[in-house]
Amino acid sequence: MEDCIFCKIIRGEIPAKKEYETDSIFVFHDITPQAPIHLLIIPKAHIKSMNEIDSLDPKVIHQIFEVIPELAKKNGIFEKGYRVVNNCGTYGGQTVGHLHFHLLGGRHLQWPPG
Ligand code: AMP
Ligand code: ZN
């Protein structure tokens, strides 16, 4: 997608701190971290939101969730715990229209969210 900032990050047109990459997924550090560790895990395919998850290859969905504990281990948050968040749509607090999962950790996170 031409104007999507996350597609631009994948293409290297906008700088980002890359954490991990495969043919189908890309992981980078959130520009406004909400916790000591705050990564964004995205499919390279432009999918707008969780509402369109059925258009994503199930193998890619599997890859995304498989890599999360690996990323948690690598970032030292596996043992104490972490949170995976998807914001969907306006009421869900989604601000970027390219499906992404937040991986947050490194502090005791509060619940419920605001
Ligand atoms: P959401 O509000 O769930 O749509 O999450 C979008 C996330 O993308 C926010 O946490 C932003 O801080 C983050 N973000 C926006 N632009 C960039 C960027 N250029 N590089 C890294 N993270 C970004
Ligand atoms: Zn995109």
Side-chain angles (χ1 to χ4, degrees):
M1 288 289 270
E2 295 283 297
D3 296 329
C4 169
I5 57 168
F6 285 0
C7 283
K8 285 183 178 173
I9 286 174
I10 292 165
R11 294 195 297 262
E13 293 166 16
I14 292 178
K17 194 176 164 203
K18 183 170 95 175
E19 174 76 13
Y20 179 81
E21 184 176 11
T22 70
D23 285 350
S24 45
I25 72 172
F26 196 89
V27 181
F28 56 105
H29 291 257
D30 197 293
I31 203 166
T32 313
Q34 301 300 316
I37 305 297
H38 188 169
L39 300 176
L40 297 172
I41 300 120
I42 67 175
K44 286 189 174 175
H46 179 89
I47 308 276
K48 194 175 154 205
S49 79
M50 196 67 186
N51 284 349
E52 286 82 39
I53 194 85
D54 61 352
S55 64
L56 190 59
D57 182 342
K59 287 196 288 281
V60 179
I61 300 173
H62 187 257
Q63 247 194 60
I64 288 172
F65 284 94
E66 200 172 41
V67 81
I68 286 171
E70 295 304 321
L71 294 165
K73 268 182 203 156
K74 199 174 148 200
N75 284 275
I77 59 172
F78 182 87
E79 296 295 340
K80 283 199 167 166
Y82 51 88
R83 187 171 294 167
V84 179
V85 173
N86 170 256
N87 297 324
C88 180
T90 306
Y91 271 24
Q94 183 175 7
T95 59
V96 177
H98 182 128
L99 177 67
H100 53 281
F101 296 91
H102 300 255
L103 172 60
L104 298 145
R107 68 174 173 85
H108 199 152
L109 299 164
Q110 303 303 305
W111 191 263

